[in-house]
Amino acid sequence: MSGTEGDTTGGRRGNTRGRIQEVALRLFVARGYDNTSLREIAEELDVTKAALYYHFKTKEELVVAIYDEWTRPIDAIVAWAGEQEPTLENKREVLRRYSEAMASAGPLFRFMQENQASLGRFHLGERFKERVRVLGALLVPPTAATVDRIRGLAALHTIHAAVFAVSQYIDVGPEEKRLAALQVAQELLTAAAGDGPAGAAAVNGGDVAGGAEG
């Protein structure tokens, strides 16, 4: 299966509202939320401020719209996961899709991480944590042993680390980093499922390579 279900990149680029969101996020990442005004976003787009206001009345409304748009593929993954049989193969596929979605939304999450004080009132972090909680429970149910539940959450956070933290310590290209993090995440998930070393070897040789092709 190729690509991430629910990918909205093409949609974002194909309309004015989406173009505003892309340019705004780029400026927010470069300058910070507090140091970027709607006027500057309008100037970067080469439109009037009134034209920008037609789509977004406030900077706050724009930030929430950006978050909703860029995290829609993650919502699609959560919905898909909830409809599947809880097999290890399906759970590995969830991680593969999640890895791709997180990589695509990297600019959004880096912006959120670097502007936590300014964005706290929007509760975007809490909304994301709820997604992670739901996805973690789908990967490893609440009835599982505590150590396995931790492995399931650690698998998700390993994928997060490829977006948020790994670059500070490991100097590799983004795709190599993503695939390495996915491999570790799948190994953790395999351990949580109780498949042992043989299962981990299958992940190393199979699923990650398939994700690289997909």
Side-chain angles (χ1 to χ4, degrees), residues 27 35 46 101 111 125 127 131 136 146-147 149 170 176 183 197:
L27 292 179
N35 295 324
D46 196 23
F111 160 62
R127 290 174 59 184
R131 284 181 172 91
T146 300
V147 67
R149 294 177 66 189
I170 302 176
E176 180 181 352
Q183 177 177 318

Side-chain angles (χ1 to χ4, degrees), residues 4 9 17 30 33 35 46 56 109-110 121 162 164 175 203:
T4 301
T9 303
R17 187 179 174 88
Y33 176 78
N35 295 324
D46 196 23
F56 300 102
F109 289 111
R110 285 190 288 273
R121 65 184 180 276
F164 299 130
E175 183 64 2
V203 172

Side-chain angles (χ1 to χ4, degrees), residues 7-44:
D7 180 29
T8 58
T9 303
R12 282 198 298 268
R13 291 177 179 172
N15 60 79
T16 302
R17 187 179 174 88
R19 175 64 179 155
I20 292 170
Q21 292 176 33
E22 285 193 338
V23 169
L25 180 58
R26 176 162 53 81
L27 292 179
F28 286 150
V29 169
R31 305 176 184 176
Y33 176 78
D34 291 330
N35 295 324
T36 305
S37 67
L38 287 179
R39 177 184 58 78
E40 290 170 325
I41 295 170
E43 290 176 351
E44 186 73 12

Side-chain angles (χ1 to χ4, degrees), residues 95 154-155 158 179-189 203-204 208:
L95 283 181
T158 297
L179 290 175
L182 176 57
Q183 177 177 318
V184 173
Q186 289 179 331
E187 289 171 356
L188 286 165
L189 186 62
V203 172
N204 294 348
V208 171

Side-chain angles (χ1 to χ4, degrees), residues 60-111:
E60 291 82 359
E61 181 184 338
L62 177 53
V63 165
V64 173
I66 291 170
Y67 176 86
D68 288 340
E69 182 70 21
W70 284 69
T71 57
R72 187 170 292 128
I74 297 175
D75 289 337
I77 292 166
V78 173
W80 184 86
E83 296 171 352
Q84 308 309 307
E85 291 294 322
T87 64
L88 182 57
E89 180 182 2
N90 283 338
K91 291 177 180 181
R92 288 174 183 159
E93 174 64 11
V94 168
L95 283 181
R96 189 189 68 78
R97 295 186 185 200
Y98 189 65
S99 172
E100 292 181 349
M102 284 296 299
S104 295
L108 168 68
F109 289 111
R110 285 190 288 273
F111 160 62

